């Protein structure tokens, strides 16, 4: 018996399961289904007593509720590829699924349903919904400051569920003006929907150019800008500075290097949006410029002190946060090897220039690592670069279990 999902066409709640299935190898059929007719039959009601969609028919039995169906697809075949590599990661994913249901889906419905003419327009309810969506986006934007994905370093069910909760918002009402303050969320959302597993379900995603409004609604008059004292913002060092009155930054020596054919931003997009070994790494080696860039292997000097995974993960996260000045000049993968109580940290890095950049030493933790230059012409060392960056392959005597972070 195949897996069949019943719903009306273009239901973003169905897409969650279909996208998850694309990651885990679960094929889900979506037969033609007429709401108000097919879901009212005695046969349907016997399997799905709520008579609501989406509803999934599996060889083991029926399932309803879209997040339960998405979880089933994510767990299919015993796979944990997108449901976390540990009980803690799985719980983090569940946390974001609950966040999506409570903090995004509810206000999104209040904002969008009047546009779809499902419920009458209510100006006050719409404004409350917009405010609630802003709060959710602010939280997501902060969380994604130093992260590519919501949980871990690869797409998880959390990314699938939350991005689909935002999908109608992004394509209908989050126009350029509304979304401009949420750059990290925008980058994450576009990274997700451009993954092949998403695109086969969604097709091309076009963001809203103009905010859709419900019938009977009128655009609020623009408020006249008022002069205001310059806001104060925390600096990286924990102090305060006047916005618009920042001191000019000293130019990095790396900015004075000759032009290079390796575009770092293009590399990061290629890495994020494609199969790493089949597409991204061939692109990298084709564009790598040994006169403009260098590759480095790092190894933590005090691995014998690493006994707890959560402490080691915090160490890795803190190290990468303090590398912020190098984001426009570098890329890397910092991995955790072994099992408690014997853990190790190792990384593989790309930096602008042929030597370790001065900015690296502004991170006080950098001296706690040994740094060894990688010979890109050596096939064995090239393979090591691909292994570290894809998280797949032979790490020698080190045991790797999908724990680490990508710096980009």
């Amino acid at each position: 018996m195949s897996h069949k999902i019943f719903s009306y066409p273009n239901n973003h709640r169905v897409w969650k399961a279909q996208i998850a299935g694309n990651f885990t190898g679960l094929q889900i059929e979506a037969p033609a289904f007429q709401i108000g007719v097919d879901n009212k039959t005695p046969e349907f009601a016997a399997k799905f007593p709520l008579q609501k969609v989406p509803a999934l028919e599996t060889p083991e039995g029926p399932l309803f509720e879209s997040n339960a169906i998405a979880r089933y697809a994510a767990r299919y075949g015993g796979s944990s590829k997108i449901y976390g590599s540990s009980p803690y990661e799985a719980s983090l994913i569940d946390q974001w699924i609950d966040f999506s249901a409570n903090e995004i889906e509810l206000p999104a419905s209040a904002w969008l349903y009047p546009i779809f003419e499902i419920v009458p327009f209510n100006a006050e309810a719409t404004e409350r919904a917009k405010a609630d969506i802003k709060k959710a986006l602010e939280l997501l934007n902060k969380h994604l400051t130093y992260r590519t994905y919501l949980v871990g370093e690869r797409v998880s069910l959390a990314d699938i569920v939350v991005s689909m909760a935002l999908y109608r918002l992004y394509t209908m009402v989050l126009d350029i003006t509304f979304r401009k303050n949420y750059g990290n969320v925008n980058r994450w959302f576009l990274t997700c929907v451009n993954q092949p597993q998403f695109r086969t379900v969604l097709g091309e995603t076009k963001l809203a150019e103009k905010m859709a409004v419900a019938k009977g609604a009128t655009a609020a008059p623009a408020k006249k800008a008022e002069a205001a004292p310059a806001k104060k913002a925390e600096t990286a060092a924990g102090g305060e500075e006047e916005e618009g009155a920042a001191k000019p930054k000293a130019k990095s020596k790396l900015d004075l290097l000759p032009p290079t054919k390796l575009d770092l931003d293009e590399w990061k997009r290629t890495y994020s949006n494609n199969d790493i070994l089949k597409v991204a790494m061939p692109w990298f080696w084709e564009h790598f410029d040994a006169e403009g860039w260098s590759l480095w292997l790092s190894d933590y000097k005090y691995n014998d002190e690493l006994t707890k995974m959560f402490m080691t993960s915090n160490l890795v996260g803190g190290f990468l946060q303090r590398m912020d000045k190098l984001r426009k000049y570098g890329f890397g993968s910092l991995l955790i090897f072994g099992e408690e109580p014997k853990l190790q940290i190792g990384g593989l890095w790309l930096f602008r220039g042929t030597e370790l950049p001065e900015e690296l030493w502004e991170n006080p933790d950098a001296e706690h690592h040994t740094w060894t230059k990688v010979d890109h012409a050596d096939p064995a060392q090239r393979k090591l670069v691909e292994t570290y960056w894809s998280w797949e392959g032979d790490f020698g005597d080190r045991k790797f279990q999908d724990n680490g972070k990508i710096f980009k």
Side-chain angles (χ1 to χ4, degrees), residues 343-358:
L343 301 168
Q344 296 177 312
I345 297 175
L348 201 298
W349 305 84
L350 169 72
F351 291 131
R352 187 75 164 97
T354 57
E355 300 299 330
L356 289 171
E358 292 180 1

Side-chain angles (χ1 to χ4, degrees), residues 23 36 97 103 110 139 178 199 205 258 366-367 378 381 404:
F23 279 94
I97 293 174
E103 309 299 330
L139 187 149
F178 194 100
R199 288 181 68 93
T205 298
E367 63 184 29
D378 182 338
Q381 295 195 37

Side-chain angles (χ1 to χ4, degrees), residues 147-161:
R147 296 175 175 89
T148 304
Y149 300 108
L150 292 175
V151 179
E153 295 299 328
R154 300 183 182 189
V155 171
S156 74
L157 187 61
D159 301 293
I160 296 170
V161 171

Side-chain angles (χ1 to χ4, degrees), residues 10 57-58 67 76 90 150 182 244 275 297 347 358 386 390 408:
N10 296 322
E57 193 172 66
T58 80
N67 285 335
Y76 180 72
L150 292 175
Y182 312 110
D275 183 284
L297 191 67
E358 292 180 1
E386 296 178 358
S390 69
K408 59 181 177 178

Side-chain angles (χ1 to χ4, degrees), residues 121 213-219:
F121 171 71
V213 296
K215 285 185 179 179
T218 56

Side-chain angles (χ1 to χ4, degrees), residues 243-303:
E243 282 191 24
K247 295 179 180 178
K249 295 180 180 179
K251 203 169 185 68
S252 170
K253 291 181 180 179
L254 301 178
D255 293 325
L256 306 177
L257 294 175
T260 171
K261 68 176 182 178
L262 175 57
D263 184 317
L264 185 63
D265 289 336
E266 183 64 25
W267 157 242
K268 291 178 180 180
R269 285 191 293 269
T270 302
Y271 178 89
S272 297
N273 296 325
N274 297 279
D275 183 284
I276 296 171
L277 289 176
K278 293 180 181 178
V279 179
M281 290 311 308
W283 186 97
F284 176 79
W285 292 123
E286 179 185 349
H287 294 84
F288 180 67
D289 168 19
E291 295 181 358
W293 299 84
S294 54
L295 295 160
W296 298 83
L297 191 67
S298 69
D299 191 56
Y300 189 59
K301 295 179 181 179
Y302 310 109
N303 283 322

Side-chain angles (χ1 to χ4, degrees), residues 108-146:
S109 298
W111 189 352
L112 295 172
Y113 280 6
I115 298 173
F116 296 139
E117 299 185 45
I118 297 173
V119 300
F121 171 71
N122 180 293
E124 185 178 347
T126 297
E127 289 307 310
R128 282 201 305 267
K130 289 181 181 180
D132 288 341
I133 291 298
K134 285 181 178 180
K135 288 179 183 177
L137 291 175
E138 287 166 3
L139 187 149
L140 286 169
N141 204 59
K142 183 176 181 181
H143 179 76
L144 290 165
T145 301
Y146 299 111

